[in-house]
Amino acid sequence: MPLKLSDATTITFDGVFEKFRLEAPNHKANFILFLADKDPSTSLSWCPDCVRAEPVIYKTLEASADDIALLQAYVGDRPTWRNPHHPWRVDSNFKLTGVPTLIRWENDTVNGRLEDHEAQHEHKINGLLSTN
C-alpha cells in the first residue's frame, strides 16, 4: 500500500501533528521520523546518520503491505538542533536525543523507537513495524 507522507518543521509541527493524530486510527501503523534539515548547498542532510537511514526507512516502510502514515519532522539546521532547549529534546512525548529517530505512534503515545545509527538497519525497522 502507499506510504502516506506528511512533512513538518518546528514551526508547523503542532498543526501537522494534530492532523496526524486525528488520522492515526485510519492507518495500520503510524510513524514519526525526526531528521535533520537538508543543507541547501548539497541537497543532503547535514546529519550523516540521516543520510544513511532515510533510504532504508523509506524502502522498508514502502515495502509493507500495510497502510502506513509517516510524519517527517525536520529538526532544523545543526545549530538549532544542538540547542539543549530544542522543543523536541524537551517535549515529554518525544525526548529526542539524536537524529534520525523513528518513532512508532500508537494510541496517542510512543510505542517504540529507533535512534541514531539503529534507524539504518532494515531488520530493526521491520521489528518496529511488527510491534503491536
Side-chain angles (χ1 to χ4, degrees):
M1 295 199 105
L3 183 61
K4 182 178 190 279
L5 293 172
S6 51
D7 292 339
T9 65
T10 54
I11 295 168
T12 63
F13 186 78
D14 289 345
V16 175
F17 182 58
E18 185 59 29
K19 184 176 183 205
F20 175 83
R21 289 176 59 219
L22 291 172
E23 294 176 356
N26 301 331
H27 305 284
K28 174 78 174 163
N30 299 280
F31 291 91
I32 305 168
L33 174 59
F34 292 94
L35 51 130
D37 283 15
K38 304 225 183 291
D39 180 335
S41 66
T42 64
S43 296
L44 294 174
S45 171
W46 56 259
C47 162
D49 286 339
C50 294
V51 171
R52 284 188 291 278
E54 278 186 84
V56 180
I57 291 168
Y58 300 135
K59 179 183 134 228
T60 305
L61 296 181
E62 287 170 351
S64 173
D66 294 330
D67 182 22
I68 297 172
L70 176 65
L71 169 54
Q72 301 169 116
Y74 293 92
V75 301
D77 60 16
R78 188 184 309 256
T80 301
W81 171 242
R82 294 286 182 221
N83 180 342
H85 302 291
H86 187 286
W88 297 328
R89 286 185 183 274
V90 298
D91 185 290
S92 61
N93 282 315
F94 306 124
K95 300 176 193 155
L96 293 188
T97 60
V99 288
T101 296
L102 181 64
I103 289 177
R104 176 139 186 186
W105 186 260
E106 236 175 62
N107 299 319
D108 222 24
T109 192
V110 173
N111 187 32
R113 69 194 299 143
L114 298 173
E115 297 177 329
D116 300 320
H117 63 278
E118 292 180 314
Q120 67 190 15
H121 298 288
E122 188 174 351
H123 71 279
K124 291 189 177 201
I125 300 165
N126 278 321
L128 193 60
L129 187 56
S130 63
T131 302
N132 289 328

